[in-house]
Amino acid sequence: MQVSDNPINQLVQAATALAAAACSAPGGDADAVGRRLRDCVIRPLALVLDRSSVSPHGLELVGTGFEAHEDGQQEKEPAAALDDRLWDLALAATVLRMHRSDLPEAQEAAAALQDLAVSLADDVTGVARLDALARLQAGLDTCVDVAENGPYLVTNLERLSDWLGLPLPVRPQMALCRCGGSENKPYCDGTHAVNGFTDAKDPNRTADRLDTYEGVEVTIQDNRGVCAHSGFCTDRLASVFHVNEEPFITPSGGRVDDIVRAVRSCPSGALSYTSDGVSRVGQADTARPAAIEVSKDGPYRVTGAIELYDHVGLQVVRNEGASLEHFSLCRCGHSQNKPFCSGMHYYVGFHDPDADPNREPTLFEWAGGLPALTRMTRLFYQKYVPEDPLLGPLFANMSPDHPERVAAWLGETFQGPKAYTAKYGGYDRMVSQHIGKGLTEAQRARWVQLIVRAADETGLPADPEFRAAFTAYLEWGSRLAVENSTIGAHPPEHMPVPRWWWVCDATPSARVSALSSVAEETPVVVLPEVGAAVSFEQNIKPLFRASDRRSMRFAFDLWSYDDVNRHADAIVTRLRSGTMPCDGAWPEPNVDAFQQWIDTGKAP
């Protein structure tokens, strides 16, 4: 294949050929690969070629399968297999990215090719490729480059997680969507190039102004121009931070340790504090590993003092008083203070796709995942335990990571990832922490009482269904702990970690709340004429509302023909008795229609 000496042109031509081959290959995956090559590799690199000032600087793509000779011919034809050709391209793009860090387009192309080459490989090959790419980029610092009117280009990040604390795939080079339009969230798919996204700041944005609120023991600084309106401060410390009130902050309304905790948990970095006349900005910033959390329907929450650069390689200017250790980056594409979040995702209705809207959430998911459980256990062991005469001495010598261990145990128990087993050793490890301790009933009862109080303070869900399951586990688990800790006890070995569920399958979505302000819309139903043919899809399925379906999902699916066909006789019996649905009997014509469907053969 004839190629130019310019390595960027080499990549464009090779990616173009591969995209054409992929789009002509059978199967949806190959077609998706072709589209991503076109939108995330060929398009940005073609923009570089259009700028006449860009030159190859003598770069040779040595050892990547694209070595150029004087006659312009490649040393070897790329392998016929899509997988091998993608890997060649990924290596070449990574070499280019290493030598041309001044080109955001090269980072964007490398991110797409790295992800394709790793994600399409088998597990063993994928791990080997990740390792090889990491070695290539080992000399680069962890940072985020903000591409002009384009994605966040993230280099050498160790941890990317979702709002539940679950890890997301990480590549040495990544491109994260910030236009809000990607169909592959949180990763960029090139949509920013066609949806009119611009990264200009809104001239009417909240002003960059550091406000100071003096208190008896502590003075709080706040910059509304940085705030992402996550509500952590107002929701968790309402005596100090006030919604729609002036003054916004009253520092003397809370304890100093609670205020410090609130400042540290502010994900935007808008808050700081002063004590004894000395600014505590550095103390408010805790030492954390570099990480990015993809919040639910909201911004990227960045921690660990990750460097942030603009498209020309300069550090992004921060507002006065803003933290450099933690900040929130816009993900919806509509922030007034790009690249930082200004809370506009609330107003534009930005939402992440729901992988399965009909699946009931686990207790782990409903609680808010590992971040919420960790927040609760940290508060519990930092605030409630030390000052309690029963529990303080018991936990005085606990390990520094004890709160994280308990959170991981609760997360695994509540149907979350098996993080406790993987990191600490599972059920046997937990039991070993109690053997011989001689825990008392008074200590057990106080532990349950105070951790429930910590759950309230940290904002865990307060709905009856969650709290029934949550407190049921606390009572059950703490009583087992007392039993296992009794002198001379012999707990059974090698038991599995318990997996807790909703009590009697009562989930928050299975009932209509008395406080609901909007009644569920009555479905449009087409009742058949007497003696006419009745079909499930046209006449029967519309009779069941979404709430009816949710309330019965523990037994069967009311929107599934097979399930309703199988249980039709039992369903009609309950319909006639008025016990289904649970919030009121069906009108008699609806019941008669269901019976008519049965009598006429239960047509699909």
Side-chain angles (χ1 to χ4, degrees), residues 59-61 64 90-100 136:
L59 171 63
E60 294 183 6
L61 303 178
T64 64
L91 287 172
T94 302
V95 170
L96 176 65
R97 181 264 176 273
M98 289 293 298
H99 286 79
R100 294 303 306 269
L136 272 176

Side-chain angles (χ1 to χ4, degrees), residues 427-428 492-496:
Y427 183 85
D428 289 346
E493 297 181 353
H494 313 310
M495 296 291 289

Side-chain angles (χ1 to χ4, degrees), residues 22 82 300 381 428 520:
L82 177 66
Y300 297 108
Y381 287 106
D428 289 346
E520 183 176 7

Side-chain angles (χ1 to χ4, degrees), residues 187-527:
Y187 309 101
C188 171
D189 68 355
T191 299
H192 60 275
V194 295
N195 69 357
F197 171 72
T198 173
D199 58 10
K201 292 180 182 290
D202 189 327
N204 297 316
R205 66 188 181 276
T206 302
D208 175 9
R209 188 187 71 209
L210 190 65
D211 296 322
T212 299
Y213 300 87
E214 295 185 1
V216 174
E217 292 189 78
V218 65
T219 295
I220 302 175
Q221 289 87 30
D222 170 58
N223 192 324
R224 295 288 84 194
V226 183
C227 182
H229 301 282
S230 295
F232 287 13
C233 56
T234 52
D235 291 346
R236 300 171 190 171
L237 195 55
S239 63
V240 174
F241 301 93
H242 311 285
V243 179
N244 298 326
E245 292 183 18
E246 290 297 336
F248 168 53
I249 300 174
T250 52
S252 299
R255 296 171 20 156
V256 173
D257 60 333
D258 287 336
I259 291 173
V260 171
R261 193 177 295 110
V263 170
R264 287 179 172 175
S265 66
C266 171
S268 67
L271 297 173
S272 56
Y273 72 97
T274 296
S275 179
D276 300 325
V278 179
S279 174
R280 305 294 181 182
V281 174
Q283 292 186 26
D285 290 343
T286 56
R288 290 179 281 190
I292 297 178
E293 174 195 325
V294 184
S295 68
K296 182 176 176 59
D297 302 329
Y300 297 108
R301 291 174 178 155
V302 184
T303 56
I306 299 176
E307 296 288 354
L308 185 66
Y309 299 102
D310 63 19
H311 68 281
V312 295
L314 300 177
Q315 288 197 344
V316 173
V317 177
R318 312 298 180 92
N319 285 12
E320 185 180 4
S323 170
L324 300 181
E325 190 276 336
H326 55 279
F327 47 92
S328 295
L329 295 176
C330 173
R331 194 162 68 90
C332 72
H334 294 275
S335 172
Q336 297 177 315
N337 188 35
K338 299 185 186 81
F340 303 103
C341 172
S342 69
M344 285 299 293
H345 51 278
Y346 294 114
Y347 302 100
V348 300
F350 176 73
H351 293 289
D352 290 306
D354 193 334
D356 185 0
N358 297 317
R359 183 182 65 83
E360 290 289 357
T362 62
L363 291 171
F364 173 78
E365 293 164 338
W366 193 259
L370 198 57
L373 294 171
T374 303
R375 188 170 65 246
M376 176 192 69
T377 55
R378 283 176 177 166
L379 179 70
F380 173 65
Y381 287 106
Q382 290 172 2
K383 178 178 179 178
Y384 288 103
V385 167
E387 64 184 15
D388 186 82
L390 280 174
L391 299 183
L394 185 64
F395 291 99
N397 294 318
M398 65 180 172
S399 62
D401 67 343
H402 188 76
E404 286 74 20
R405 293 171 184 258
V406 176
W409 172 266
L410 291 173
E412 184 168 340
T413 298
F414 291 162
Q415 300 280 328
K418 298 182 178 181
Y420 186 90
T421 295
K423 190 169 184 179
Y424 304 114
Y427 183 85
D428 289 346
R429 166 74 186 196
M430 173 57 74
V431 170
S432 72
Q433 302 305 296
H434 299 109
I435 291 178
K437 293 291 178 64
L439 302 177
T440 67
E441 169 57 24
Q443 290 171 324
R444 183 208 68 79
R446 186 67 58 81
W447 187 90
V448 171
Q449 177 190 29
L450 294 183
I451 203 166
V452 168
R453 194 176 299 174
D456 292 337
E457 186 172 339
T458 51
L460 260 66
D463 56 272
E465 290 80 8
F466 176 77
R467 285 308 177 98
F470 179 66
T471 54
Y473 173 72
L474 295 180
E475 286 288 338
W476 182 83
S478 63
R479 291 174 189 277
L480 279 188
V482 171
E483 180 181 302
N484 292 336
S485 74
T486 302
I487 304 300
H490 300 285
E493 297 181 353
H494 313 310
M495 296 291 289
V497 174
R499 302 289 273 178
W500 212 250
W501 194 241
W502 300 96
V503 175
C504 299
D505 288 306
T507 63
S509 63
R511 66 179 175 89
V512 178
S513 172
L515 302 178
S516 177
S517 58
V518 180
E520 183 176 7
E521 185 176 339
T522 302
V524 177
V525 295
V526 180
L527 295 177

